[in-house]
Each structure stands twice: as structure tokens, then as C-alpha cells.
Amino acid sequence: MVAPSLRARVRAGMLDEIKTVARRHLDTDGANLSLRAVARDMGMVSSAIYRYFPSRDDLLTALILEAYDALGEAVEAADRAVARDDLRGRWHAVCRAARAWALAHPAEYALLYGSPVPGYAAPDDTVGPAQRPPIVLVGILHDGLATGRLTPPPDEELPDPLREDLAEIAAGLYPGMPEALLARGMAGWTQLFGLISFELFGRINRSLPHRDEYFDHQTALMADVIGLPRSP
Amino acid sequence: MVAPSLRARVRAGMLDEIKTVARRHLDTDGANLSLRAVARDMGMVSSAIYRYFPSRDDLLTALILEAYDALGEAVEAADRAVARDDLRGRWHAVCRAARAWALAHPAEYALLYGSPVPGYAAPDDTVGPAQRPPIVLVGILHDGLATGRLTPPPDEELPDPLREDLAEIAAGLYPGMPEALLARGMAGWTQLFGLISFELFGRINRSLPHRDEYFDHQTALMADVIGLPRSP
DNA sequence: CCGATGAGAGAGCACTGCTCTCGTCGAGGA
DNA sequence: TCCTCGACGAGAGCAGTGCTCTCTCATCGG
């Protein structure tokens, strides 16, 4: 491992500082991030930023990538902190961690799961980190199957094309997972995302002051749907 | 009813035309609507738009209001077109109508349910139209209760504060609706929104080509959770 | 030590939302 | 019928944006 030159280290520091300042602007001003404002905050001129990021969208992409990883790390850490065989506890921990991260970083969450920025297409680098939360959720189901604590739902009538799609997804994660169970896991993930988005984008607050309880109840409902056992 | 003056009629026509052109721009360029571009398309100068909308945000608000009403109308029409006692049929019709409207008007859907435009606060006029879809969904539950076709879920252990919140919401819609059932209805609404958003914001297409089947299966799953009877 | 390279500054372009002013023209009242 | 007031559109202008180009200077590698 060769020691990086001074220039390289300074450059890495600048990259970090730009992203930090940009993240701060994101949290206050929302998604329409101003490159010039970031540069101004750093005592630089806007054109200097282009030495580090070829365009504003690239800066956004970097922020999105880091946000995906931060969310994924938070979710995985929450899962790790619970005993492996406490399936329902893991489920709730993961859901709460995702919500907590979103509430703590609303602008970044909006960047990840809000309406796509027009004219901006997320590069392929993002699909990996983006799948970490749902993979954790499905991992709980897999562990439940493996230890026999989770009995898969009765094999309901799935249309063949859908069954094949689900089987292919399962093959990439945990081969042999029953399609109906995977579908329910995805329902849980969709529900989790919908819950957080509703809460964050302000379509629920008015008439539902006790949001923690509501969130826990709704995620518990999905845990029931999936069939996670009640007590560890 | 007094006949509106020529000037008033011309003004109303201009308002409509501006909104129409703006909607067209919305569908192509996304949420960052350019007032100047709209004016250009109408052969006007940008400042002239300000005779009709005091700011860009007000134009956006008008579009949002109309979009809420269009979605609400589509959903209510779908509900009306099904026999009242076919609860599950109504549920699916409403869900499909919402999805179809969203797929047909992605930019407007993003305006309604995507990340909030920074610095823009939706005025109170929007809460009414915004609640039309969930009210339709809950109406299905209410009809099911009234006709005895829907048996409410066992009264699960709801924390008291949550039960009170739900009771208050129920009081404003259908007094006496069991809180646990209302909660499941809201879960269905959250799920529907999450499904559409995932599909529209491109976080699902890659690995799930048969989206119609997936959507129907997921909404059927929520119909099961709510307890809607299988056949009419 | 010296040339190549990276970094920052500054000017400039096309664009944005928005404000202000200035003619013009139509509708309603005297 | 005339006249006044108000609505309307045009145009210039301001501050801000992303981005490009050029110029200068410090740093690094050979």
C-alpha cells in the first residue's frame, strides 16, 4: 500500500467536504441542491467544484450512493443486534431502524425514495446498495424457514408468469424460498416504504398524533401476514 | 346566474390554457416546471403569466388540486361501476383505477405523492381532494360492515393512544367503525400507494416484468388482510 | 530543476422566477 | 357618447442557477 501523495489526500478531503456541505444544504433546502451555494459555503468559486464532480447530477449520485449505504448499514446493524431466532423482534427492529433513519435524514430519504429527479437517471451502481433493506427483510424470512420457526403460507393460486418472476427473484437471493412467502415479504417491504413515505411527506400527521404506535401496529400487521411467530 | 362578461370568459380560458400547457410540460420535463417555457409555448412573455398566477407555486398548486380531483374522480368512478355488494370487486377496481391513473399521469402522480417540492407547502385546499381515494377504500369496508358481508377482525390489542386516534378518524368518516378494521383499511391504502410508487419510481421493473399480475396479487393479499369475502 | 498537471479564480452564456414600468385597449359609469 | 379606470401584455432588469472556457499559480514526478 503506497502512501497517497499530499495532493491525493487533499483531494480526498475536498471530495468529503463537498459532500458534507452538500448534505447540509440538502437537509435545509431540499432536493434542488445549488452547486454555487455549496461552493460559496466552502469559500470557493462555483467552477472549482467541477474539478471534483463533473456535474451537479454526479454530486447528487454520490450523495445518493452514500445515503443508500447509510440506510443499509443502519438496517443491517439493527438486524444484527437482535437474537437470530427472534424473528418478529428482528422484523420490528429493521422496520424501526429504517423509519428512524428516514426521520433523521428526511431530505436524503426523499432523494432515495421520492419522485425521481427529472432528467436524472440513477446509475446502475445504486441498485446494489438500494437492495440492502429488502434483502435484510427477506433474510429474516429465510432464517425463519431454515429453523422451522416460520411456516410458509399455504401455496395460494399464483398466476404462472408471476410465479416465475418470483422464482427468479428468489433464485438470486435464497433459492428454494416459496414464491408466496417471498411475495408476502415484498408486501411487507412495500408497506414499510409506504408507511415511512406517508409519514415523511406529511400525508398522515394531522389526524394521527401517535405515530410511533401507529407504525408499530402497522408493521406488526405485516408481520402477521408473513406469519412471523408472536413470541421469541 | 349572471352571464360572465367577455373579459371574464377570456380570462377563464387563459387560466385553462395555461394549466393545460403547464400540464403538458409537466409530463415531459418533470416537476421543475418552467414558467417561461409555458409562456413561450403560448406566444406570451413570461411576465404576462403573472396576471393569472401570482407565482409559479400557485400554478403548481392549481395543477395539484386538479390532479387530486382527477385521481379522486377516476377512483370513485371505478368504485361506482361495480355492484355495491361485490366488496372484493370494488376493492380491486379502485386499486386498479388508482394505478392506471398514476401510470397514465406519472408526473402528476409524482407531484401528489412524491417528495414534497422544497420550500413549497401544500395549502389546506388540498387535504379534501387528497382524501378521496382513501375515503373510497374505507367506504368499501363500511358497506361491508353495514350489509354483514364483512366481519371485522378480532379486536386485537391496540395501545390506547392509537385506539383513540383511530376512533377520532373513524368518527369523522363512519362513526362506529371498529378501530382494528380501520387500521387494516389504512394498511391497504398505504400498500396501494407504496405499490404504485415503487412501480412508477422504477424500483421494481427490472426483476418483475409481469407487473399487472404482481399488482393484483398484492392488492388481493391486502383484501385478505382486511377480510373482504372472496366471491361476490 | 523543469515541464506537466491539478487546482482555483473569474468572466461569460443561457436559463430561471419575479418585479417594475409603460403603452394599449376594452368595459362600465356619467 | 365620452371618459376614466382597470386589466392586459410587452419589455427591461435583477438576482440567482448550471456549466464552459481561459488564465494563473502551486505542486508533483522525473
Side-chain angles (χ1 to χ4, degrees):
Chain A
M1 180 162 178
V2 62
S5 71
L6 169 65
R7 219 176 219 171
R9 269 180 294 135
V10 167
R11 180 176 178 83
M14 286 293 288
L15 282 169
D16 271 354
E17 188 177 346
I18 292 176
K19 284 189 280 189
T20 303
V21 174
R23 218 173 349 244
R24 205 168 55 225
H25 271 83
L26 213 60
D27 276 328
T28 64
D29 296 350
N32 44 8
L33 179 69
S34 161
L35 257 182
R36 295 181 107 112
V38 172
R40 223 176 291 128
D41 262 26
M42 299 183 59
M44 289 199 330
V45 133
S46 73
S47 59
I49 301 279
Y50 288 84
R51 298 283 177 195
Y52 300 91
F53 293 95
S55 79
R56 198 194 75 129
D57 281 359
D58 290 88
L59 174 54
L60 271 183
T61 300
L63 293 178
I64 288 176
L65 262 178
E66 292 197 358
Y68 270 130
D69 274 324
L71 171 60
E73 181 52 39
V75 160
E76 288 169 9
D79 180 46
R80 276 195 303 270
V82 180
R84 302 333 282 148
D85 54 357
D86 180 7
L87 302 178
R88 188 170 279 257
R90 288 169 66 189
W91 178 267
H92 272 110
V94 166
C95 291
R96 291 199 189 109
R99 173 173 179 251
W101 188 90
L103 292 181
H105 310 89
E108 289 172 82
Y109 179 86
L111 216 54
L112 302 187
Y113 295 106
S115 25
V117 181
Y120 169 80
D124 288 344
D125 320 0
T126 60
V127 307
Q131 285 179 342
R132 288 171 68 176
I135 284 179
V136 169
L137 291 180
V138 176
I140 298 176
L141 308 194
H142 169 258
D143 289 356
L145 276 182
T147 60
R149 284 191 167 76
L150 173 62
T151 56
D155 197 31
E156 40 212 18
E157 65 285 2
L158 290 172
D160 276 345
L162 176 58
R163 184 182 298 277
E164 288 164 18
D165 287 354
L166 290 171
E168 193 166 342
I169 295 176
L173 295 174
Y174 301 103
M177 170 167 291
E179 290 88 359
L181 180 61
L182 176 62
R184 291 183 182 221
M186 292 170 69
W189 164 235
T190 307
Q191 177 80 354
L192 173 59
F193 158 82
L195 272 174
I196 296 176
S197 296
F198 266 160
E199 179 172 357
L200 213 56
F201 300 164
R203 240 162 287 277
I204 211 172
N205 316 5
R206 251 174 261 264
S207 47
L208 212 72
H210 297 91
R211 294 186 263 162
D212 292 354
E213 289 85 349
Y214 177 69
F215 181 84
D216 280 347
H217 175 262
Q218 295 287 70
T219 49
L221 192 61
M222 295 313 288
D224 291 341
V225 169
I226 292 168
L228 297 180
R230 285 259 166 195
S231 65
Chain B
M1 177 157 178
V2 61
S5 71
L6 170 64
R7 213 172 224 173
R9 269 180 293 135
V10 168
R11 182 177 177 83
M14 286 293 288
L15 283 169
D16 271 355
E17 189 178 344
I18 292 176
K19 283 188 282 189
T20 302
V21 174
R23 218 172 350 243
R24 205 167 56 225
H25 272 84
L26 213 59
D27 276 329
T28 64
D29 295 350
N32 44 8
L33 179 69
S34 161
L35 257 182
R36 294 182 107 112
V38 172
R40 224 177 291 129
D41 263 25
M42 300 183 59
M44 290 199 329
V45 131
S46 74
S47 60
I49 301 280
Y50 288 84
R51 299 284 177 196
Y52 300 92
F53 293 95
S55 81
R56 198 194 76 129
D57 281 359
D58 290 87
L59 174 55
L60 271 182
T61 299
L63 294 178
I64 288 176
L65 262 177
E66 291 196 359
Y68 270 130
D69 274 324
L71 171 60
E73 182 51 39
V75 161
E76 289 169 10
D79 181 46
R80 277 195 303 268
V82 181
R84 302 332 282 148
D85 54 358
D86 181 6
L87 301 179
R88 191 171 277 257
R90 288 168 65 187
W91 178 268
H92 272 110
V94 165
C95 290
R96 290 200 190 108
R99 173 174 179 250
W101 187 89
L103 292 180
H105 309 89
E108 288 173 83
Y109 179 86
L111 215 55
L112 301 187
Y113 295 106
S115 26
V117 181
Y120 169 80
D124 288 344
D125 320 2
T126 59
V127 306
Q131 285 179 340
R132 287 171 68 177
I135 283 179
V136 170
L137 291 180
V138 176
I140 298 176
L141 307 195
H142 169 258
D143 289 357
L145 275 183
T147 61
R149 284 190 168 77
L150 173 61
T151 55
D155 197 30
E156 40 212 20
E157 64 286 359
L158 291 171
D160 277 343
L162 175 59
R163 183 182 299 278
E164 287 165 19
D165 288 355
L166 291 170
E168 193 166 343
I169 296 176
L173 296 174
Y174 299 103
M177 170 167 291
E179 290 88 0
L181 179 62
L182 176 61
R184 292 183 182 220
M186 292 171 69
W189 164 235
T190 307
Q191 176 80 355
L192 172 59
F193 158 81
L195 272 173
I196 297 176
S197 295
F198 266 160
E199 177 172 359
L200 212 57
F201 300 163
R203 240 164 287 277
I204 212 171
N205 317 4
R206 251 173 258 265
S207 46
L208 212 69
H210 298 91
R211 293 186 265 162
D212 293 354
E213 288 85 350
Y214 178 70
F215 182 83
D216 280 348
H217 175 262
Q218 294 288 68
T219 49
L221 192 61
M222 293 315 287
D224 290 342
V225 170
I226 292 167
L228 297 180
R230 284 259 166 194
S231 64

